[in-house]
Amino acid sequence: MNISLDRLIRGAKEGKIISFPTDTVPGMATIPTKAELIYIAKQRSLDKPLILMGAEPESLWEYVKGSDQEYEIWQEVVNRYWPGALTLVLPASDKVPRVMNPQDPTTIGIRVPNHPIARAILAQTGPMATTSVNLSGKPPLETQAEIAVEFPDVLTEELIEYKGLGVPSTVAKWTENHWQILRQGSIIVG
């Protein structure tokens, strides 16, 4: 459903599912406490966690926990690659709703996209539970028209071009004292 940006943000704050462009593929999002709506809409298995996307790194740190030394390491990576197509999987704090990662609520993927519209929306909504816009197992949708057909109840902004790089983010998981690459995208962590 195409609406104005103000209505999109209002709908997001009310717990509706929204879609917006990112630097990779268009994102489907809702407030973290309503994340189950994404699983239902996408027909997504509960063993596939969602990620938490924010406008700035500072908006995401309260959702993770680690030692001072770990935060320093994570901050170095963030300073180098964010905003950008890198999702970091880190130990989750108690603030993360279990529905974000039902099979392993001890971790959460976080990301700051390198897209001005995505960041403008996230700056007003706060961090959002996100994933690509597609039915589970299908390729990500790339245009508003495709999204409107597949997900008619998902709110989209009427004047935004949705096409990104078309390559999902690199996913790097912090494991004790090093990074494990779970999915290679456009960013090479090193």
Side-chain angles (χ1 to χ4, degrees):
M1 176 186 320
N2 287 342
I3 58 174
S4 71
L5 188 57
D6 287 340
R7 284 191 57 209
L8 179 93
I9 291 167
R10 192 168 52 250
K13 289 178 179 180
E14 293 169 356
K16 294 184 170 100
I17 300 176
I18 67 167
S19 178
F20 54 80
T22 75
D23 48 343
T24 56
V25 295
M28 175 184 278
T30 190
I31 57 176
T33 55
K34 297 285 188 177
E36 72 276 356
L37 297 175
I38 290 177
Y39 284 98
I40 294 165
K42 287 186 58 141
Q43 302 169 17
R44 184 180 178 101
S45 170
L46 293 176
D47 64 348
K48 295 181 178 179
L50 301 176
I51 70 165
L52 197 61
M53 197 175 281
E56 299 292 335
E58 297 75 22
S59 68
L60 297 169
W61 289 131
E62 65 187 285
Y63 293 92
V64 300
K65 65 179 179 182
S67 68
D68 289 344
Q69 182 181 9
E70 287 174 318
Y71 275 104
E72 286 179 29
I73 293 167
W74 303 340
Q75 188 66 55
E76 286 177 24
V77 171
V78 164
N79 290 345
R80 184 170 178 190
Y81 298 107
W82 280 2
L86 176 64
T87 299
L88 300 179
V89 179
L90 302 174
S93 75
D94 294 338
K95 186 162 180 158
V96 178
R98 183 179 181 92
V99 70
M100 291 283 302
N101 190 353
Q103 298 296 317
D104 182 10
T106 65
T107 64
I108 184 66
I110 60 173
R111 181 161 103 83
V112 174
N114 189 13
H115 194 288
I117 295 169
R119 291 180 68 201
I121 291 168
L122 293 163
Q124 293 187 57
T125 62
M128 300 280 284
T130 64
T131 185
S132 57
V133 184
N134 57 294
L135 287 173
S136 194
K138 303 285 185 188
L141 302 176
E142 296 183 352
T143 67
Q144 287 177 305
E146 293 172 329
I147 294 166
V149 168
E150 197 73 44
F151 299 100
D153 294 332
V154 170
L155 305 179
T156 60
E157 206 282 334
E158 56 198 352
L159 301 175
I160 298 173
E161 172 58 43
Y162 269 57
K163 200 141 179 117
L165 294 175
V167 178
S169 66
T170 297
V171 179
K173 181 178 182 180
W174 181 253
T175 309
E176 294 184 28
N177 61 357
H178 68 280
W179 295 105
Q180 174 189 3
I181 303 301
L182 301 180
R183 178 179 70 202
Q184 186 62 62
S186 60
I187 290 181
I188 307 295
V189 178

